Amino acid sequence: MPKPERQILVCVNSRPPGNPKGSCGERGADSLFDRLKALVRERGLDGRVMVNRTYCLKHCSRGPVLAVQPDNTWYAGVAEADLAEICASHLEEGRPVERLLMPDVPWE
């Protein structure tokens, strides 16, 4: 396999129950990761795009959070229903999904 063109980091970090910031893990990030990995494979992108679990990306209150590198594109509040659009628009056409972009806010 050649070096991937993009790497998607999916935060799956879980904070203790009741944490005021919440966490990506408690918002379904594990199933989000599994679905994204499957979609990338189904669309034939797995030779160009690597999908990896990661822990805290420092935006817990906005999770689930995905970071697409080397584009330095950050998505916030991603749901499974958004993944096909991310694949089609960003990964296949090179256009980030504007409505899901992380706002330019301080790191938590």
Side-chain angles (χ1 to χ4, degrees), residues 52-67:
N52 293 103
R53 286 179 179 94
T54 190
Y55 291 94
C56 195
L57 291 173
K58 302 295 184 193
H59 287 290
C60 304
S61 66
R62 297 182 182 277
V65 173
L66 277 63

Side-chain angles (χ1 to χ4, degrees), residues 3 6 8 10 12-13 23-24 35 46 54 56 58-59 62 71 77 79 82 84-85 87 90 95 97 107:
K3 182 172 96 174
R6 290 188 174 99
I8 303 175
V10 180
V12 297
N13 192 55
S23 67
C24 296
R35 184 63 189 132
D46 51 335
T54 190
C56 195
K58 302 295 184 193
H59 287 290
R62 297 182 182 277
D71 305 355
D82 300 319
E85 184 178 4
C87 286
H90 192 151
R95 290 177 305 138
V97 179
W107 291 75

Side-chain angles (χ1 to χ4, degrees), residues 25-91:
E26 72 182 7
R27 292 186 181 107
D30 281 315
S31 63
L32 191 80
F33 168 83
D34 292 338
R35 184 63 189 132
L36 180 57
K37 190 121 174 134
L39 269 174
V40 165
R41 191 173 33 256
E42 289 167 17
R43 290 174 167 269
L45 298 169
D46 51 335
R48 300 181 345 204
V49 177
M50 184 185 319
V51 181
N52 293 103
R53 286 179 179 94
T54 190
Y55 291 94
C56 195
L57 291 173
K58 302 295 184 193
H59 287 290
C60 304
S61 66
R62 297 182 182 277
V65 173
L66 277 63
V68 181
Q69 301 300 343
D71 305 355
N72 198 26
T73 301
W74 291 68
Y75 292 114
V78 178
E80 283 190 45
D82 300 319
L83 296 177
E85 184 178 4
I86 291 171
C87 286
S89 182
H90 192 151
L91 303 180

